Amino acid sequence: MDKWRRYADELQELRDKELYRTLNVLESAQSAHVRYQGRDMLMLASNAYLDMCNDPAVKAAAAAALAQFGVGSGGSRLTTGTASPHSDLEQTLARFKEREAALVFNSGFAANSGIIPALTRAGDYIFSDELNHASIIDGCRQSKAQTVIYRHNDMADLAQKLAVSGAQSGLIVSDAVFSMDGDIADLPGLARLAEQSGLLLMLDEAHSTGVIGARGRGIEEHFAMPGSVDVLMGTLSKAFGAEGGYVCGNATLIEYLKNKTRSFIFSTSLSPVVMAAARRAVELLAQQPERAARLQQNVRVFTAALREHGVAAASQTAIVPIRIGDEGRALAVSRRLFAEGYYISAIRYPTVKRGEAILRAALMSSHTEAELKQAAAAIAQAIQSC
Ligand SMILES: *Cc1c(COP(=O)(O)O)cnc(C)c1O
């Protein structure tokens, strides 16, 4: 059994540092309220920002696709794994994002980790924000290009690093909304630097689609800069409540990625059931942009209520980070809130820096203002008493 010793030791080390992680098993659909350990809880940790996982119209689309297409897709996209729900979804996404074409991947993670090495080669440079998502980091690691990390959303630092490198080809890549801090990338600055340097601009809209912009269309709508991103990536697993990643862009980009992206080519495609559900969710947001407006109103109500209780909180997105610092204390606050019926997660190293643990509140369009005000009061209480 000795060959397992080092793994067991490492796990013990994680426990000692309050960094050990376990799985919470939910007993209901993902929604504003969930059932957990036999109790009803207010969900304040989900990425299902528009509460689409359990939406009746989305479920009906999934049921119809299940009846027509069955469960599995039977192959990779380039062999037998493209059914009409896959191509219908891609057309809907391209229209939604006002692009020539779109391509769906098996997850946002597979999209980022596949697209970045596909689009870059030896001699290129990749400029990547220091707080980018792990899937972007993995994509950079798999690329033969040289990766340069710039300070978080710092355009002066990026400009300086571009100039020093002399880079003439490659990629500037950033989260559109950062997954832990909830802040918005400086699209005007990024677009200007991409234009000046001749590099492609790639943004990850995992937490901006359905969340920012007057109709919830994402970062280009937020800044009124349509068409300013070359490689517009996102995920179907968050606001849209389904599964899968996607990229939107011009026809050259999409045809190139179909032919060159390993995570697209060598993996069985997602179920038609999930594709039909995702498409219905995109259509619903297009038809009912007030869903995004409700979410934005909830963010204003919740952050104002936290501030009234003396908790520093500012966010323009569904992600509201509440700084705690010490990992053990963040866990204690989160545990206390769980005991009171609030499902809210403590985020620790390595997701955030060591000693900079946060409570990450994530809001939904379907939370009521009364629920959010009560939650803000409970959070302030828990922080004071832990
Ligand atoms: C969640 C997330 C991903 C991965 O998307 P999945 O569909 O969950 O694999 C990629 N980028 C960011 C910024 C994310 O938050």
Side-chain angles (χ1 to χ4, degrees):
M1 283 316 280
D2 215 22
K3 64 186 175 187
W4 293 107
R5 183 56 172 273
R6 55 187 257 217
Y7 303 104
D9 286 350
E10 260 183 65
L11 284 175
Q12 189 52 47
E13 214 174 291
L14 288 176
R15 283 191 199 93
D16 294 344
K17 291 179 179 158
E18 307 270 19
L19 295 174
Y20 192 76
R21 291 156 186 245
T22 55
L23 302 175
N24 291 348
V25 180
L26 300 183
E27 297 137 14
S28 68
Q30 189 84 185
S31 195
H33 287 260
V34 295
R35 208 167 168 74
Y36 176 62
Q37 297 186 338
R39 298 161 57 208
D40 173 76
M41 298 188 66
L42 186 70
M43 173 50 84
L44 287 168
S46 174
N47 296 324
Y49 304 125
L50 298 178
D51 205 349
M52 297 266 204
C53 297
N54 201 33
D55 187 283
V58 173
K59 289 202 287 191
L66 178 66
Q68 188 177 353
F69 293 95
V71 176
S73 75
S76 75
R77 287 292 303 280
L78 293 169
T79 60
T80 60
T82 299
S84 48
H86 297 85
S87 53
D88 291 347
L89 170 61
E90 286 168 344
Q91 283 168 23
T92 301
L93 282 167
R95 260 200 312 280
F96 183 81
K97 290 287 184 182
E98 298 173 359
R99 291 302 197 274
E100 284 176 14
L103 192 64
V104 169
F105 291 77
N106 287 356
S107 68
F109 203 106
N112 278 334
S113 58
I115 291 166
I116 294 170
L119 287 178
T120 51
R121 51 178 83 149
D124 287 348
Y125 282 84
I126 302 170
F127 294 86
S128 176
D129 189 289
E130 66 178 328
L131 295 190
N132 277 344
H133 189 262
S135 54
I136 295 178
I137 296 171
D138 280 20
C140 294
R141 287 180 182 159
Q142 285 168 46
S143 167
K144 295 194 168 66
Q146 182 170 340
T147 299
V148 178
I149 311 292
Y150 62 90
R151 282 205 294 273
H152 176 52
N153 220 5
D154 183 337
M155 294 304 112
D157 189 49
L158 174 56
Q160 201 240 342
K161 286 178 166 149
L162 277 162
V164 167
S165 71
Q168 307 207 321
S169 59
L171 200 62
I172 299 172
V173 58
S174 177
D175 283 15
V177 164
F178 289 86
S179 52
M180 293 303 134
D181 292 71
D183 55 334
I184 302 173
D186 181 354
L187 176 57
L190 289 165
R192 181 165 24 83
L193 291 172
E195 185 66 36
Q196 283 168 8
S197 60
L199 271 61
L200 293 174
L201 177 59
M202 172 170 171
L203 289 192
D204 175 342
E205 293 227 83
H207 302 282
S208 54
T209 298
V211 177
I212 61 173
R215 298 171 300 162
R217 299 279 174 123
I219 192 160
E220 290 185 342
E221 183 176 54
H222 176 82
F223 284 107
M225 292 177 65
S228 56
V229 179
D230 299 305
V231 183
L232 201 53
M233 175 272 169
T235 177
L236 302 161
S237 61
K238 287 169 182 163
F240 292 133
E243 285 178 326
Y246 63 84
V247 60
C248 299
N250 65 26
T252 303
L253 171 73
I254 300 306
E255 288 307 306
Y256 187 84
L257 292 177
K258 270 183 205 167
N259 283 279
K260 292 285 193 176
T261 312
R262 293 169 65 81
S263 63
F264 177 82
I265 299 169
F266 296 106
S267 187
T268 299
S269 65
L270 288 173
S271 165
V273 177
V274 169
M275 300 290 88
R279 181 182 186 217
R280 190 73 191 97
V282 179
E283 287 172 349
L284 272 182
L285 176 56
Q287 290 157 5
Q288 302 171 353
E290 63 273 14
R291 284 173 183 255
R294 264 203 310 274
L295 174 60
Q296 292 162 9
Q297 170 66 10
N298 276 350
V299 174
R300 286 188 288 272
V301 167
F302 183 65
T303 51
L306 282 170
R307 288 193 298 267
E308 269 171 40
H309 291 288
V311 178
S315 180
Q316 295 184 72
T317 72
I319 301 163
V320 181
I322 298 162
R323 318 259 160 221
I324 306 290
D326 179 71
E327 282 84 16
R329 180 155 178 257
L331 275 184
V333 174
S334 163
R335 282 199 192 109
R336 186 186 157 117
L337 287 165
F338 264 76
E340 292 174 8
Y342 298 100
Y343 195 115
I344 183 165
S345 312
I347 307 287
R348 293 163 287 161
Y349 178 83
T351 310
V352 294
K353 288 181 189 150
R354 222 183 268 279
E356 295 186 16
I358 58 172
L359 285 184
R360 178 184 183 274
L363 305 192
M364 289 189 193
S365 55
S366 53
H367 287 134
T368 69
E369 295 194 4
E371 283 169 343
L372 292 175
K373 286 176 181 167
Q374 277 172 12
I379 289 166
Q381 262 287 315
I383 290 174
Q384 273 163 22
S385 59
C386 286

